[in-house]
């Protein structure tokens, strides 16, 4: 079984400020972790993913996330927010074995608002 | 490449009616899936397929049927629509038959369904 909890359904930052979106996961097998972004009236697109290896993962548009097994966390960060970052962000987990390969479990989503 | 194409974009049904949401991809992806998105609940997996002729249930399969007779198409059938099925439906595909674990999901732009 696997699950994802995103802390905070809405996050608001000023342009140029640090972006921090929190994600904690639960998985009975080694997890594979993902961040997806959804712009208004569009489908989701992949920002970054962690499967194995380096725990600090870099993605598109300057985002990065760090896998911390001891904290069961995979928080998303960006040093300096841009207006174009305003969107909804989803953390997701996939299992690494058996039938869990095909099942991606999403968190509830965090809406990021960026103020000028 | 058109990517993942979903039709229709909008649909209104009366309780008890049936309909089929269409999904087609032109990327020769083995894995295809259907999600529903509801406010505050993220995306939940309805059904998925790892290849033509192979389908499996996700987290919320009740009230929905799928089939995969070709690699390109993965229609979702609502057998007898209920107000609880009011949602935004997303079709997503990925290259590898192990799905989102191994290769990113490509999403369509969604179908907004209202059941009255």
């Amino acid at each position: 079984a696997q699950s994802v909890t995103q802390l905070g359904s809405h996050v608001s930052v000023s342009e140029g400020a640090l972006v921090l979106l929190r994600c904690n996961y639960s998985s009975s097998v080694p997890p594979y972790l993902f961040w997806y972004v959804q712009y208004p009236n569009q489908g989701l697109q992949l920002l970054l993913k962690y499967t194995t290896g380096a725990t600090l993962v870099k993605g598109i548009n300057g985002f990065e996330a760090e896998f911390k097994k001891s904290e069961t966390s995979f928080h998303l960060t960006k040093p300096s927010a841009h207006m174009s970052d305003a969107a909804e962000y989803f953390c997701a987990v996939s299992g690494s074995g058996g039938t869990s390969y095909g099942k991606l479990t999403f968190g509830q989503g965090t809406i990021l608002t960026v103020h000028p | 490449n058109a990517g993942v194409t979903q039709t229709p974009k909008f649909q209104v049904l009366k309780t008890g009616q049936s309909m089929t949401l269409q999904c087609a991809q032109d990327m020769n992806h083995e894995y295809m899936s259907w999600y529903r998105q509801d406010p505050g609940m993220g995306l939940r997996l309805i059904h998925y397929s790892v290849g033509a002729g192979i389908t499996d249930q996700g987290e919320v399969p009740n009230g929905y049927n799928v089939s995969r007779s070709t690699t390109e198409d993965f229609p979702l059938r609502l057998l007898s629509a209920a107000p609880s099925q009011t949602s935004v439906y997303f079709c997503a595909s990925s290259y590898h038959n192990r799905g989102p674990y191994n290769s990113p999901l490509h999403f369509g732009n969604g179908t907004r369904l209202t059941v009255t």
Side-chain angles (χ1 to χ4, degrees), chain A residues 32 34 36 38 41-44 46 49 51 88 90 94-95 99 101-104 106-108, chain B residues 31 35 37 40-43 45 48 57 90 98-105 107-109 112:
Chain A
Y32 294 90
F34 308 81
Y36 280 80
Q38 183 181 32
N41 299 315
Q42 294 185 24
L44 283 69
L46 182 68
K49 69 175 182 179
T51 54
E88 189 164 14
F90 292 91
S94 171
T99 57
Y101 278 126
K103 298 179 180 179
L104 194 62
F106 286 87
Q108 306 92 318
Chain B
Y31 177 92
Y35 287 86
Q37 183 178 24
M41 302 188 73
L43 281 80
L45 182 64
Y48 67 99
Q57 295 182 352
F90 286 99
R98 285 186 171 176
Y101 144 71
N102 217 337
S103 57
L105 283 173
F107 281 81
N109 284 336
R112 188 173 295 273

Side-chain angles (χ1 to χ4, degrees), chain B residues 16-55:
Chain B
Q17 288 184 317
S18 62
M19 79 159 296
T20 299
L21 279 62
Q22 301 292 344
C23 176
Q25 53 89 8
D26 61 358
M27 298 172 284
N28 202 31
H29 283 178
E30 294 189 62
Y31 177 92
M32 296 186 75
S33 56
W34 278 100
Y35 287 86
R36 59 176 290 173
Q37 183 178 24
D38 302 290
M41 302 188 73
L43 281 80
R44 292 179 292 169
L45 182 64
I46 304 172
H47 287 285
Y48 67 99
S49 168
V50 297
I54 306 169
T55 64

Side-chain angles (χ1 to χ4, degrees), chain B residues 63-86:
Chain B
Y64 307 95
N65 272 359
V66 293
S67 59
R68 183 96 180 267
S69 55
T70 66
T71 300
E72 295 78 19
D73 300 299
F74 191 46
L76 178 72
R77 297 182 188 84
L78 279 69
L79 307 173
S80 177
S84 61
Q85 293 179 304
T86 294

Side-chain angles (χ1 to χ4, degrees), chain B residues 87-98:
Chain B
S87 187
V88 180
Y89 291 84
F90 286 99
C91 180
S93 70
S94 69
Y95 175 72
H96 195 277
N97 65 1
R98 285 186 171 176

